[in-house]
Amino acid sequence: MKTSISYIFVIATLMVTTGCQQQLSEAGSNNEDSLVISWPQDIGLLDPHGYGENQMFAQNLVYESLVQHDEEGDIKPHLAESWEISDDGKTYTFFLREDVQFSDGSEFNAENAKKNFDAVIEAPEDHAWLELANQINRTEVIDSFTFEITLEDTYYPLLEELALVRPFRFLGEAGFNEDQQFKEPIGTGPWVLHEYRKDEEAVFHRNDHYWGEKPEMEELVVRVIPDGDARVMAFENGEIDMIYGSGLISLDAFDHLQNNENYETGTSPPQANRVMALNSNRGVTEDHLVRQALIHAFDAHSFIEDMLYETEEHATSLFPDDAPYQPDDLDPYEYDPLKAESLLEEAGWERRDDHEIREKDGQPLQLTFVFDANDEIQTILAEYMQSELRALGVDIVLSGVDNQSYLDAQKTGDFDIIYHETWGAQYDPHAMLSSMRVPSHADYQAQRGLADKDELDEKISQVLVETDEQQREEQYDDIIRTLHDEAIYVPISSPSTTGMYHNDIEGVRYSPIPYEFSLEHIRR
Amino acid sequence: MVALITRRILMLFPSLLFLSMFVFLLMHMIPGDPAQAYLTLSQIPPTDEAIAAARGELGLDLPLYEQYWNWLISALQLDFGTSFLTGERVLEEVLYYFPSTLQLSLAAFLFTITISVLIGIFSARYQQRLFDTFSRLFSVGGSAIPTFWLGFLLVYFFSYQLGWLPSGGRGGWTSLVLPMLTLSIPYIALFSRLLRTSLLEVSKASYVTYSRARGLREPSIFRRHILRHALLPLLTVSGVALGYLLAGTVIVESVFSWPGMGRYMVTAITNRDYPVIQFYIVFMAFIFLIVNMIVDLLQLWVDPRLRSKEGSPNV
């Protein structure tokens, strides 16, 4: 019996040690021509038209779009050199660059553009969220490098939506299988997927066929590290060169790294806004005065300084100041506790001498704040809000739930205050406003109590198909101003992409678009 | 004996059936919508149409009993569906992740048993001496320390300060050492103490005194009479421990970026990826039941006295 047990041990030990023969690539700070970053999830299959596990930043490394946003957020040519729009605004003719090759050396042309567009519009269920996918009526090859799109109606955000990371990007012919579905990643972008081990690492190489400015580094390694603290350890240990993205590490860790002279840090321009939405359709926050008081009671500057270590910019309205169509003369709600107090008094919420919490008709001033308890920033925000408002005699009940339950609360409107974010540079304001008309969104629920909600929705529907630029600007101004005056949102801050890297690294740039990582200029 | 094994194997089916039904019900009772989770994860704005389309695609618009029935019928043909999230077959994904978890758990298990037996024997032999005191301290500390913190401590010393071992990833054997230690230490703390107590108890048993009286040599008494009997409780708990190790690598996998089942499961739970959660729980239950069965049989083999109670279902 003893010998058989020993055998089992020996065999098991052999199994265990031989199981790990796979060697991770020798990339790291010791390889001059390689940049190692990390990401919490696996990059996915890298299907340019796919969602789910496909990580947007990785899709953006490999695939390109017809047009792109420049640093100011304006549309500029990319794979399309220029375009013409018909008088009725329904036909777009794109003149493609003639020097573009896929990473396998094949040519990018109008045929390929049509094939990719058709692949997207032939799967309407997958892309229904994007209005453009529903609007495209017909695609046509005019000649080798001229490609035409005809729309159902005039749809002004067309170019904006073509610039998105997905789905309107281009997969090479050899990347499709027999059923014309995605087979393997072949793109025209600056990087090519060279090696891939699911949930371990993905190694990208410079695309030698790239038409634009080629990346400085030969190799880009993306290591999958799910835990933020483990990521910081690996970074300090020199196993990864750079932490790049939003919310990848805790703010304490960020503070710790920022104060270390061996590392450099930087941030992108603001990309979206964090806000709190106040429910105009429920309880105490039905009262406009109370909502105004809550906005005046929140000290965003101190929150950003003390809790976010000044990693984010202060937001003054629902959308970031540089978002298209954002009015620049909105009266900001300054932090003013005295004013907040007098507004609450005016609304009838009085503080009795012996009571800490304000009351009206015997009811205490109590609000439920719903947030995702797994999100560190949401949690500290809720706690901060609770302690701030306590001083004003407002009792905030914290309802920290898991992400799915948080989404549920958004849908049902079961909240007084809820944490919320705008959708980011390419979607604000048009896509975000569009969603405000849909009952499953926190915005709809929060705005539902407004007397003119129906009218507001009607205005949003109009602005999305308005063709006259002047008119459109006025309509947007009106909508955004109404939301601001109705005090539905408490603006907090604008998150951005943060970069932390060892100081032998140079050329780090930041895009105003989340998930568009500019890693091409990095060198050592 | 054969009848017993057959009966135990047959018992697996109703257990698994009941469990799968229970899990199915429970999963659908917790709040959250997998369709919406899928859309959120895909950065697709969750409009009502998008949610309805995703629900239809994922088969979530069917009544619950129909969903379960469909699952059961395919599961009987070893088809456990496709992940809502990745669109890949659950079985294939599990076959990808399970070997890494098995490797880590087995390594930790073997290490735990080896070290626990050594510490247990030494602290029993040198009872109340320095080694025993030291091992008691280790035992208290080791079982009280939270796993994730232990993991970071080990990384800090062996990886960051000393630079001996990688801080994470699944590379050569060096990358196995730290996660294995992190998993093992709490169990070693527990098992070594258990074995020590058990050794001391058995050495006071009358048959040990009797063998001494018969003039048997001390090493032989220790091996054949003391150790063999003292290992019995360890055998029972280690069976359970193997199950826990397999199922409980979640934190360690996350701290050490180890691509295993734990992480796969956590992602599945946060995203309400029903097919994955369903399969994982049934699969882990299956392993638990199998491991328990093997432990029971091993016990019968090691301690013939138990065989007389063969008929009892508790064996």
Side-chain angles (χ1 to χ4, degrees), chain B residues 21-172:
Chain B
M21 244 189 263
F22 183 67
V23 172
F24 213 87
L25 257 180
L26 209 63
M27 267 192 318
H28 288 78
M29 271 161 58
I30 46 175
D33 180 352
Q36 186 160 5
Y38 165 78
L39 295 174
T40 313
L41 195 89
S42 307
Q43 261 102 27
I44 298 178
T47 56
D48 283 356
E49 297 82 28
I51 290 179
R55 288 181 69 83
E57 217 174 293
L58 302 176
L60 290 163
D61 45 356
L62 299 173
L64 201 57
Y65 64 87
E66 216 169 304
Q67 289 185 43
Y68 177 73
W69 182 249
N70 292 343
W71 179 84
L72 188 67
I73 293 300
S74 347
L76 288 175
Q77 298 156 32
L78 291 184
D79 171 10
F80 296 93
T82 49
S83 158
F84 287 170
L85 216 59
T86 61
E88 306 265 327
R89 309 199 72 76
V90 175
L91 195 63
E92 270 168 43
E93 292 204 324
V94 168
L95 288 178
Y96 177 82
Y97 291 107
F98 192 63
S100 357
T101 296
L102 188 67
Q103 181 196 9
L104 183 57
S105 318
L106 264 187
F109 182 71
L110 294 177
F111 185 74
T112 304
I113 299 298
T114 317
I115 301 298
S116 305
V117 169
L118 289 178
I119 296 183
I121 291 175
F122 277 109
S123 41
R125 174 150 293 182
Y126 302 107
Q127 200 190 340
Q128 308 300 349
R129 304 259 288 276
L130 189 65
F131 184 85
D132 192 30
T133 319
F134 182 75
S135 86
R136 186 179 301 142
L137 276 177
F138 166 76
S139 155
V140 171
S143 49
I145 206 165
T147 321
F148 66 91
W149 194 58
L150 177 64
F152 283 125
L153 272 186
L154 292 173
V155 170
Y156 183 75
F157 282 111
F158 293 102
S159 185
Y160 184 60
Q161 292 291 347
L162 300 169
W164 291 350
L165 296 162
S167 73
R170 183 175 178 232

Side-chain angles (χ1 to χ4, degrees), chain A residues 9 11 25 43 65 67 69 82 102 108 125 208 227 236 258 261 294 341 349 357 396 410 426 432 484 501 504:
Chain A
F9 262 68
I11 290 168
S25 60
I43 58 161
S65 48
V67 295
H69 285 99
S82 61
F102 282 98
F108 168 70
E125 332 67 64
D208 289 325
D227 184 86
E236 290 201 84
Q258 200 180 23
E261 56 182 23
L294 291 175
E341 216 154 328
W349 292 97
I357 299 300
I396 292 202
Q410 288 204 341
Q426 290 167 316
M432 171 100 179
H484 187 80
Y501 44 96
D504 59 335

Side-chain angles (χ1 to χ4, degrees), chain A residues 52 166 198-199 237 402 440, chain B residues 33 42 48 96-97 159 272:
Chain A
R166 56 200 186 193
K198 191 172 160 64
D199 258 328
N237 214 4
D402 79 319
S440 59
Chain B
D33 180 352
S42 307
D48 283 356
Y96 177 82
Y97 291 107
S159 185
R272 305 286 192 269

Side-chain angles (χ1 to χ4, degrees), chain A residues 479-494:
Chain A
I479 296 166
I480 296 172
R481 201 173 293 277
T482 307
L483 290 174
H484 187 80
D485 293 343
E486 288 289 356
I488 294 292
Y489 300 98
V490 186
I492 307 166
S493 62
S494 311

